[in-house]
Amino acid sequence: MISNNISSPSPSNQTNIQISPEQTTISKTPKNYLPFRTRSSRKLAILKVDEHQKTKPIVWFAAILCFIFSLMLIFFGIATLICYLALKPSNPSFDIPNASLNLVYFDSKPYLNGEFTLLTNFSNPNRRVHVKFESLHIELFFTNRLISSQSINPFTQKPRETRLQAVKFMSSLLFVAQEVGVKLVEEVQSSNRLSYHAKGTFKVKVKMGIIHLSFWLHSFCQMEMTGPPAGSLVARQCVTTR
């Protein structure tokens, strides 16, 4: 008889498969993980919240004020342009119709003393425009050397109005270079003529109804005068630019 001796494997022959904790991979979903679709869902949620929120009254009020202010700016801009084109205001003019040289002498040679009087003429050539002169300042020069300066009080001119105003200049112990003094003496002795020039700077305001415009005028006048003590204006040329 054949006996079936089937021996069961011994414990030593059995292969034990052990999985270490380091090799164990467990798939867990992090708590902070958000699916890709949550971005669109967030947008939808924000839109839904915005639909229920109403615009505050103060925002509407500020928008209306800005709109009205913009309309007013446009209106006044167009009105100013129309008035300017309709009236076409001309620049006021400045002139020196007369001048007198009362006194010029040297005190210890390098110091000049003098007394001058200029008769200035301000004219408003416009027919329907009022003009106001502000910050009026006139300077008197001899061979590009400032001798004296004077300011004039502001005034207003009606359309087609002319204003004559005497402006007195005085220089006392004014130091001048030697060549300037020599030239002055030579001109008096040779031809009894002296050349001066005046510079004027004026701020002008033009009034056209409720519209006001302001700008600066610059005048330059070249003058030729006889020598003192009864020096008078012989020739002049004045140019006014804006």
PDB file of all heavy atoms in Angstrom, residues 116-136:
ATOM      1  N   PHE A 116      13.414 161.960 -14.746  1.00  0.00           N
ATOM      2  CA  PHE A 116      12.736 161.770 -16.028  1.00  0.00           C
ATOM      3  C   PHE A 116      11.230 161.712 -15.792  1.00  0.00           C
ATOM      4  O   PHE A 116      10.772 161.225 -14.744  1.00  0.00           O
ATOM      5  CB  PHE A 116      13.172 160.459 -16.695  1.00  0.00           C
ATOM      6  CG  PHE A 116      14.665 160.236 -16.685  1.00  0.00           C
ATOM      7  CD1 PHE A 116      15.298 159.678 -15.582  1.00  0.00           C
ATOM      8  CD2 PHE A 116      15.431 160.583 -17.776  1.00  0.00           C
ATOM      9  CE1 PHE A 116      16.657 159.461 -15.568  1.00  0.00           C
ATOM     10  CE2 PHE A 116      16.804 160.366 -17.767  1.00  0.00           C
ATOM     11  CZ  PHE A 116      17.420 159.810 -16.654  1.00  0.00           C
ATOM     12  N   THR A 117      10.485 162.172 -16.771  1.00  0.00           N
ATOM     13  CA  THR A 117       9.026 162.081 -16.715  1.00  0.00           C
ATOM     14  C   THR A 117       8.528 161.547 -18.050  1.00  0.00           C
ATOM     15  O   THR A 117       8.824 162.137 -19.111  1.00  0.00           O
ATOM     16  CB  THR A 117       8.381 163.446 -16.428  1.00  0.00           C
ATOM     17  OG1 THR A 117       8.894 163.948 -15.190  1.00  0.00           O
ATOM     18  CG2 THR A 117       6.872 163.307 -16.311  1.00  0.00           C
ATOM     19  N   LEU A 118       7.801 160.451 -18.003  1.00  0.00           N
ATOM     20  CA  LEU A 118       7.223 159.856 -19.202  1.00  0.00           C
ATOM     21  C   LEU A 118       5.710 160.002 -19.157  1.00  0.00           C
ATOM     22  O   LEU A 118       5.083 159.707 -18.138  1.00  0.00           O
ATOM     23  CB  LEU A 118       7.594 158.366 -19.313  1.00  0.00           C
ATOM     24  CG  LEU A 118       9.080 158.006 -19.320  1.00  0.00           C
ATOM     25  CD1 LEU A 118       9.251 156.497 -19.477  1.00  0.00           C
ATOM     26  CD2 LEU A 118       9.823 158.755 -20.424  1.00  0.00           C
ATOM     27  N   LEU A 119       5.141 160.472 -20.254  1.00  0.00           N
ATOM     28  CA  LEU A 119       3.688 160.544 -20.371  1.00  0.00           C
ATOM     29  C   LEU A 119       3.214 159.285 -21.100  1.00  0.00           C
ATOM     30  O   LEU A 119       3.437 159.132 -22.299  1.00  0.00           O
ATOM     31  CB  LEU A 119       3.268 161.798 -21.139  1.00  0.00           C
ATOM     32  CG  LEU A 119       1.756 162.015 -21.286  1.00  0.00           C
ATOM     33  CD1 LEU A 119       1.105 162.205 -19.922  1.00  0.00           C
ATOM     34  CD2 LEU A 119       1.466 163.196 -22.200  1.00  0.00           C
ATOM     35  N   THR A 120       2.601 158.383 -20.356  1.00  0.00           N
ATOM     36  CA  THR A 120       2.180 157.100 -20.929  1.00  0.00           C
ATOM     37  C   THR A 120       0.741 157.177 -21.413  1.00  0.00           C
ATOM     38  O   THR A 120      -0.080 157.929 -20.870  1.00  0.00           O
ATOM     39  CB  THR A 120       2.310 155.979 -19.887  1.00  0.00           C
ATOM     40  OG1 THR A 120       1.502 156.304 -18.739  1.00  0.00           O
ATOM     41  CG2 THR A 120       3.750 155.824 -19.447  1.00  0.00           C
ATOM     42  N   ASN A 121       0.459 156.397 -22.430  1.00  0.00           N
ATOM     43  CA  ASN A 121      -0.874 156.366 -23.034  1.00  0.00           C
ATOM     44  C   ASN A 121      -1.344 154.916 -23.119  1.00  0.00           C
ATOM     45  O   ASN A 121      -0.738 154.099 -23.823  1.00  0.00           O
ATOM     46  CB  ASN A 121      -0.837 156.995 -24.427  1.00  0.00           C
ATOM     47  CG  ASN A 121      -2.203 156.983 -25.103  1.00  0.00           C
ATOM     48  OD1 ASN A 121      -3.221 156.757 -24.440  1.00  0.00           O
ATOM     49  ND2 ASN A 121      -2.242 157.229 -26.398  1.00  0.00           N
ATOM     50  N   PHE A 122      -2.424 154.601 -22.412  1.00  0.00           N
ATOM     51  CA  PHE A 122      -3.032 153.275 -22.454  1.00  0.00           C
ATOM     52  C   PHE A 122      -4.360 153.385 -23.208  1.00  0.00           C
ATOM     53  O   PHE A 122      -5.205 154.214 -22.852  1.00  0.00           O
ATOM     54  CB  PHE A 122      -3.283 152.733 -21.043  1.00  0.00           C
ATOM     55  CG  PHE A 122      -2.028 152.520 -20.243  1.00  0.00           C
ATOM     56  CD1 PHE A 122      -1.510 153.554 -19.475  1.00  0.00           C
ATOM     57  CD2 PHE A 122      -1.376 151.304 -20.263  1.00  0.00           C
ATOM     58  CE1 PHE A 122      -0.359 153.364 -18.722  1.00  0.00           C
ATOM     59  CE2 PHE A 122      -0.222 151.106 -19.515  1.00  0.00           C
ATOM     60  CZ  PHE A 122       0.294 152.142 -18.753  1.00  0.00           C
ATOM     61  N   SER A 123      -4.533 152.549 -24.216  1.00  0.00           N
ATOM     62  CA  SER A 123      -5.744 152.630 -25.043  1.00  0.00           C
ATOM     63  C   SER A 123      -6.419 151.275 -25.137  1.00  0.00           C
ATOM     64  O   SER A 123      -5.750 150.238 -25.262  1.00  0.00           O
ATOM     65  CB  SER A 123      -5.400 153.123 -26.464  1.00  0.00           C
ATOM     66  OG  SER A 123      -4.807 154.405 -26.417  1.00  0.00           O
ATOM     67  N   ASN A 124      -7.751 151.302 -25.084  1.00  0.00           N
ATOM     68  CA  ASN A 124      -8.564 150.101 -25.282  1.00  0.00           C
ATOM     69  C   ASN A 124      -9.273 150.232 -26.625  1.00  0.00           C
ATOM     70  O   ASN A 124     -10.260 150.953 -26.743  1.00  0.00           O
ATOM     71  CB  ASN A 124      -9.580 149.960 -24.148  1.00  0.00           C
ATOM     72  CG  ASN A 124     -10.478 148.748 -24.329  1.00  0.00           C
ATOM     73  OD1 ASN A 124     -10.178 147.852 -25.128  1.00  0.00           O
ATOM     74  ND2 ASN A 124     -11.580 148.700 -23.611  1.00  0.00           N
ATOM     75  N   PRO A 125      -8.787 149.541 -27.659  1.00  0.00           N
ATOM     76  CA  PRO A 125      -9.372 149.713 -28.995  1.00  0.00           C
ATOM     77  C   PRO A 125     -10.687 148.957 -29.213  1.00  0.00           C
ATOM     78  O   PRO A 125     -11.312 149.107 -30.262  1.00  0.00           O
ATOM     79  CB  PRO A 125      -8.277 149.156 -29.907  1.00  0.00           C
ATOM     80  CG  PRO A 125      -7.607 148.114 -29.077  1.00  0.00           C
ATOM     81  CD  PRO A 125      -7.657 148.601 -27.665  1.00  0.00           C
ATOM     82  N   ASN A 126     -11.112 148.159 -28.258  1.00  0.00           N
ATOM     83  CA  ASN A 126     -12.313 147.341 -28.438  1.00  0.00           C
ATOM     84  C   ASN A 126     -13.584 148.184 -28.290  1.00  0.00           C
ATOM     85  O   ASN A 126     -13.628 149.139 -27.516  1.00  0.00           O
ATOM     86  CB  ASN A 126     -12.328 146.205 -27.413  1.00  0.00           C
ATOM     87  CG  ASN A 126     -11.126 145.281 -27.574  1.00  0.00           C
ATOM     88  OD1 ASN A 126     -11.059 144.479 -28.486  1.00  0.00           O
ATOM     89  ND2 ASN A 126     -10.148 145.425 -26.679  1.00  0.00           N
ATOM     90  N   ARG A 127     -14.613 147.786 -29.013  1.00  0.00           N
ATOM     91  CA  ARG A 127     -15.877 148.532 -28.997  1.00  0.00           C
ATOM     92  C   ARG A 127     -16.834 148.053 -27.910  1.00  0.00           C
ATOM     93  O   ARG A 127     -17.624 148.834 -27.398  1.00  0.00           O
ATOM     94  CB  ARG A 127     -16.564 148.410 -30.367  1.00  0.00           C
ATOM     95  CG  ARG A 127     -15.794 149.060 -31.506  1.00  0.00           C
ATOM     96  CD  ARG A 127     -16.560 148.928 -32.803  1.00  0.00           C
ATOM     97  NE  ARG A 127     -15.843 149.577 -33.895  1.00  0.00           N
ATOM     98  CZ  ARG A 127     -16.304 149.634 -35.152  1.00  0.00           C
ATOM     99  NH1 ARG A 127     -17.475 149.061 -35.451  1.00  0.00           N
ATOM    100  NH2 ARG A 127     -15.595 150.234 -36.082  1.00  0.00           N
ATOM    101  N   ARG A 128     -16.779 146.759 -27.577  1.00  0.00           N
ATOM    102  CA  ARG A 128     -17.750 146.217 -26.611  1.00  0.00           C
ATOM    103  C   ARG A 128     -17.091 145.431 -25.488  1.00  0.00           C
ATOM    104  O   ARG A 128     -17.749 144.656 -24.815  1.00  0.00           O
ATOM    105  CB  ARG A 128     -18.751 145.317 -27.349  1.00  0.00           C
ATOM    106  CG  ARG A 128     -19.660 146.047 -28.319  1.00  0.00           C
ATOM    107  CD  ARG A 128     -20.504 145.066 -29.122  1.00  0.00           C
ATOM    108  NE  ARG A 128     -19.687 144.316 -30.062  1.00  0.00           N
ATOM    109  CZ  ARG A 128     -20.169 143.381 -30.889  1.00  0.00           C
ATOM    110  NH1 ARG A 128     -21.460 143.062 -30.845  1.00  0.00           N
ATOM    111  NH2 ARG A 128     -19.370 142.760 -31.720  1.00  0.00           N
ATOM    112  N   VAL A 129     -15.820 145.646 -25.282  1.00  0.00           N
ATOM    113  CA  VAL A 129     -15.088 144.863 -24.289  1.00  0.00           C
ATOM    114  C   VAL A 129     -14.448 145.799 -23.269  1.00  0.00           C
ATOM    115  O   VAL A 129     -13.785 146.780 -23.637  1.00  0.00           O
ATOM    116  CB  VAL A 129     -13.998 143.995 -24.958  1.00  0.00           C
ATOM    117  CG1 VAL A 129     -13.189 143.256 -23.911  1.00  0.00           C
ATOM    118  CG2 VAL A 129     -14.634 143.009 -25.928  1.00  0.00           C
ATOM    119  N   HIS A 130     -14.658 145.516 -21.986  1.00  0.00           N
ATOM    120  CA  HIS A 130     -14.008 146.250 -20.905  1.00  0.00           C
ATOM    121  C   HIS A 130     -12.644 145.615 -20.616  1.00  0.00           C
ATOM    122  O   HIS A 130     -12.487 144.394 -20.685  1.00  0.00           O
ATOM    123  CB  HIS A 130     -14.866 146.251 -19.647  1.00  0.00           C
ATOM    124  CG  HIS A 130     -16.109 147.076 -19.764  1.00  0.00           C
ATOM    125  ND1 HIS A 130     -17.199 146.674 -20.509  1.00  0.00           N
ATOM    126  CD2 HIS A 130     -16.437 148.287 -19.219  1.00  0.00           C
ATOM    127  CE1 HIS A 130     -18.154 147.592 -20.419  1.00  0.00           C
ATOM    128  NE2 HIS A 130     -17.705 148.576 -19.651  1.00  0.00           N
ATOM    129  N   VAL A 131     -11.697 146.459 -20.259  1.00  0.00           N
ATOM    130  CA  VAL A 131     -10.333 146.000 -20.015  1.00  0.00           C
ATOM    131  C   VAL A 131      -9.878 146.519 -18.652  1.00  0.00           C
ATOM    132  O   VAL A 131     -10.118 147.680 -18.304  1.00  0.00           O
ATOM    133  CB  VAL A 131      -9.364 146.494 -21.110  1.00  0.00           C
ATOM    134  CG1 VAL A 131      -7.923 146.174 -20.742  1.00  0.00           C
ATOM    135  CG2 VAL A 131      -9.706 145.853 -22.438  1.00  0.00           C
ATOM    136  N   LYS A 132      -9.215 145.650 -17.889  1.00  0.00           N
ATOM    137  CA  LYS A 132      -8.649 146.038 -16.606  1.00  0.00           C
ATOM    138  C   LYS A 132      -7.152 145.762 -16.615  1.00  0.00           C
ATOM    139  O   LYS A 132      -6.720 144.645 -16.908  1.00  0.00           O
ATOM    140  CB  LYS A 132      -9.312 145.273 -15.457  1.00  0.00           C
ATOM    141  CG  LYS A 132      -8.812 145.701 -14.086  1.00  0.00           C
ATOM    142  CD  LYS A 132      -9.547 144.966 -12.963  1.00  0.00           C
ATOM    143  CE  LYS A 132      -9.048 145.428 -11.600  1.00  0.00           C
ATOM    144  NZ  LYS A 132      -9.751 144.731 -10.487  1.00  0.00           N
ATOM    145  N   PHE A 133      -6.378 146.814 -16.300  1.00  0.00           N
ATOM    146  CA  PHE A 133      -4.927 146.679 -16.223  1.00  0.00           C
ATOM    147  C   PHE A 133      -4.533 146.389 -14.776  1.00  0.00           C
ATOM    148  O   PHE A 133      -4.946 147.087 -13.856  1.00  0.00           O
ATOM    149  CB  PHE A 133      -4.239 147.959 -16.700  1.00  0.00           C
ATOM    150  CG  PHE A 133      -4.222 148.132 -18.182  1.00  0.00           C
ATOM    151  CD1 PHE A 133      -5.289 148.721 -18.826  1.00  0.00           C
ATOM    152  CD2 PHE A 133      -3.146 147.695 -18.932  1.00  0.00           C
ATOM    153  CE1 PHE A 133      -5.279 148.892 -20.201  1.00  0.00           C
ATOM    154  CE2 PHE A 133      -3.123 147.852 -20.300  1.00  0.00           C
ATOM    155  CZ  PHE A 133      -4.199 148.460 -20.946  1.00  0.00           C
ATOM    156  N   GLU A 134      -3.717 145.363 -14.593  1.00  0.00           N
ATOM    157  CA  GLU A 134      -3.233 144.992 -13.273  1.00  0.00           C
ATOM    158  C   GLU A 134      -1.723 144.765 -13.342  1.00  0.00           C
ATOM    159  O   GLU A 134      -1.168 144.455 -14.395  1.00  0.00           O
ATOM    160  CB  GLU A 134      -3.915 143.713 -12.773  1.00  0.00           C
ATOM    161  CG  GLU A 134      -5.414 143.850 -12.554  1.00  0.00           C
ATOM    162  CD  GLU A 134      -6.032 142.569 -12.035  1.00  0.00           C
ATOM    163  OE1 GLU A 134      -5.357 141.525 -12.103  1.00  0.00           O
ATOM    164  OE2 GLU A 134      -7.171 142.618 -11.562  1.00  0.00           O
ATOM    165  N   SER A 135      -1.068 144.919 -12.205  1.00  0.00           N
ATOM    166  CA  SER A 135       0.379 144.660 -12.091  1.00  0.00           C
ATOM    167  C   SER A 135       1.163 145.400 -13.174  1.00  0.00           C
ATOM    168  O   SER A 135       1.917 144.805 -13.945  1.00  0.00           O
ATOM    169  CB  SER A 135       0.654 143.150 -12.177  1.00  0.00           C
ATOM    170  OG  SER A 135      -0.046 142.445 -11.189  1.00  0.00           O
ATOM    171  N   LEU A 136       0.986 146.711 -13.220  1.00  0.00           N
ATOM    172  CA  LEU A 136       1.674 147.538 -14.212  1.00  0.00           C
ATOM    173  C   LEU A 136       3.061 147.918 -13.699  1.00  0.00           C
ATOM    174  O   LEU A 136       3.199 148.452 -12.591  1.00  0.00           O
ATOM    175  CB  LEU A 136       0.869 148.805 -14.512  1.00  0.00           C
ATOM    176  CG  LEU A 136      -0.503 148.608 -15.164  1.00  0.00           C
ATOM    177  CD1 LEU A 136      -1.594 148.548 -14.117  1.00  0.00           C
ATOM    178  CD2 LEU A 136      -0.799 149.727 -16.142  1.00  0.00           C
TER     179      LEU A 136
END
